[in-house]
Amino acid sequence: MIYKRVTLLRGKEESLGRFHPWVFSGAIARLDEGIVEGDLVSVFSSRGDLLGNGHYQIGSIAVRMLTFDDQAIDTAFYAARLTNAYRLREALGLVRDDNNAFRLVHGEGDFLPGLIVDIYAGTAVMQAHSPGMHYARHEIAQALTQLPDGLVRNVYYKSETTLPYMAHLDPVNDYIVGRYDTDVAMENGLKFHVDWLKGQKTGFFVDQRENRSLLEHYAAGRRVLNMFCYTGGFSFYAMRGGAALVHSVDSSAKAIKLTDDNVELNFPGDTRHKAVAEDAFKYLDNMESGAYDLIILDPPAFAKHKSALRNALMGYRKLNAKAIDKLPAGGLLFTFSCSQAVNKEQFRLAVFSAAAQCRRRVRILHQLTQPADHPINIYHPEGEYLKGLVLYVE
Ligand code: SAH
């Protein structure tokens, strides 16, 4: 199928030849008349060769490629891509009775740029990051309900804050298939209330699943501080792993309430856990040295854009120094960065500076990343965003 044409400047077809899924606006020579934001377009080289089909939008990323041939982007296309995504999660062993929370579609990583879908116990929370995906939302939602094993009963569309504001799409967060039934999802046998209505992102951070499991392995007998706890994910793995005590801290009172609710779901009445609403930097400054022998730092993205990089790195250094400083000999630090603009080396350097500043002996035990349900399209290295280190501090 050939849609309206986007023709590239000479020499600008190379990255598409290497299957990179973005066309930048600076690479475009001509647009067919009448192309509007969100349209399906066919991209051609200056020589007139078809390079593939994608969604057009106004901005620095002008086309997000969906195919590298002339395949039509229709219901059958979405159904095939979603089935492919589902088969991968099945192969990863994520679809189980005791695990019904996972990412089904990770944008470019699932060859669906502009689309995120997380699954929580039969509800798919769907986020469009491009006008094209917004227009396709009903088609996609229908295809979701047709996935095997009745995976999706309800589809909640949540794109009020993810679509380009200037596109004037006025998306409304609401169910577009089914309706609310349960908000309790399960991750590796632990239960979580997932608040997709008011919570951050799609309501839960499924990307820390494997890192939480690793933490469980180290938790026995330790006094654990889960800093930036949000809904308490790491805390419950620590408790199941036999932690002596677990304190969860977040500046958001709502997050603390959710964490307390989740304690009641999993460990009712367990007095090892306490949740505190406070600023991380303040809490770390005021806490006693040696109060915890395992600290988790999982802050929000400090750099949303490249321009904020310097400040972000300084922020990571400061935060990590405060934690390293307070750890006793033999303490463990699980430290993360989810800023896409900060790469692995930069993050590691920031943490290295923090360790040096504290003049402690520090070894890296693990280098962590995002889990396999957040796959990185090999042609799109920008898809890598989550970085973590487990440090042994003496
Ligand atoms: N670790 C969590 C995800 C963390 S998201 C999980 O596994 O689910 C980042 C969290 O940091 C958010 O809940 C946000 O409310 C909190 N936060 C942001 N700034 C903060 C600050 N200065 N002090 C404490 N918490 C903060």
Side-chain angles (χ1 to χ4, degrees), residues 200 204-208 212 226-234 249-252 255 278-281 296-302 338:
Q200 300 176 40
F204 188 67
F205 289 89
V206 268
D207 56 359
Q208 289 287 19
R212 291 178 188 134
N226 181 8
M227 186 53 85
F228 308 97
C229 67
Y230 188 39
T231 55
F234 282 99
V249 179
D250 198 289
S251 57
S252 148
E278 198 172 321
D279 173 73
F281 289 86
I296 301 135
L297 297 176
D298 184 23
F302 282 175
C338 60

Side-chain angles (χ1 to χ4, degrees), residues 83-298:
T83 303
N84 177 277
Y86 174 70
R87 292 290 174 219
L88 174 61
R89 276 59 183 182
E90 219 180 13
L92 295 172
L94 291 173
V95 191
R96 310 191 308 266
D97 285 347
D98 70 339
N99 193 85
N100 56 26
F102 53 88
R103 178 153 292 189
L104 176 70
V105 177
H106 186 58
E108 287 81 357
D110 286 292
F111 314 111
L112 288 167
L115 183 68
I116 296 290
V117 181
D118 286 337
I119 303 292
Y120 302 118
T123 296
V125 181
M126 175 175 155
Q127 243 175 17
H129 290 255
S130 70
M133 287 300 180
H134 173 71
Y135 291 128
R137 65 196 182 282
H138 293 292
E139 241 173 316
I140 296 168
Q142 280 311 320
L144 282 168
T145 60
Q146 269 143 48
L147 287 172
D149 312 321
L151 181 77
V152 175
R153 295 186 300 273
N154 315 305
V155 179
Y156 185 76
Y157 184 61
K158 188 178 184 186
S159 303
E160 281 180 8
T161 58
T162 57
L163 284 164
Y165 171 70
M166 294 298 283
H168 301 298
L169 300 169
D170 303 323
V172 174
N173 291 348
D174 205 354
Y175 291 91
I176 54 177
V177 172
R179 58 193 161 81
Y180 172 85
D181 50 31
T182 177
D183 72 348
V184 177
M186 212 166 350
E187 183 184 271
N188 289 325
L190 289 164
K191 292 184 199 139
F192 294 91
H193 287 289
V194 181
D195 185 4
W196 49 79
L197 300 184
K198 298 210 180 65
Q200 300 176 40
K201 305 273 173 87
T202 65
F204 188 67
F205 289 89
V206 268
D207 56 359
Q208 289 287 19
R209 180 192 323 103
E210 286 171 17
N211 302 328
R212 291 178 188 134
S213 283
L214 181 69
L215 173 97
E216 179 173 2
H217 170 78
Y218 282 109
R222 289 189 184 263
R223 296 160 300 154
V224 175
L225 172 62
N226 181 8
M227 186 53 85
F228 308 97
C229 67
Y230 188 39
T231 55
F234 282 99
S235 301
F236 309 119
Y237 282 75
M239 291 172 82
R240 192 167 66 180
L245 67 84
V246 179
H247 292 168
S248 306
V249 179
D250 198 289
S251 57
S252 148
K254 253 195 256 156
I256 292 306
K257 161 92 173 59
L258 275 167
T259 300
D260 277 332
D261 289 349
N262 286 332
V263 177
E264 281 315 300
L265 264 185
N266 293 286
F267 304 95
D270 196 321
T271 54
R272 289 177 299 161
H273 185 267
K274 197 171 88 187
V276 183
E278 198 172 321
D279 173 73
F281 289 86
K282 233 195 228 158
Y283 191 92
L284 289 167
D285 278 340
N286 294 338
M287 78 190 203
E288 237 173 80
S289 202
Y292 303 101
D293 32 37
L294 196 168
I295 299 178
I296 301 135
L297 297 176
D298 184 23

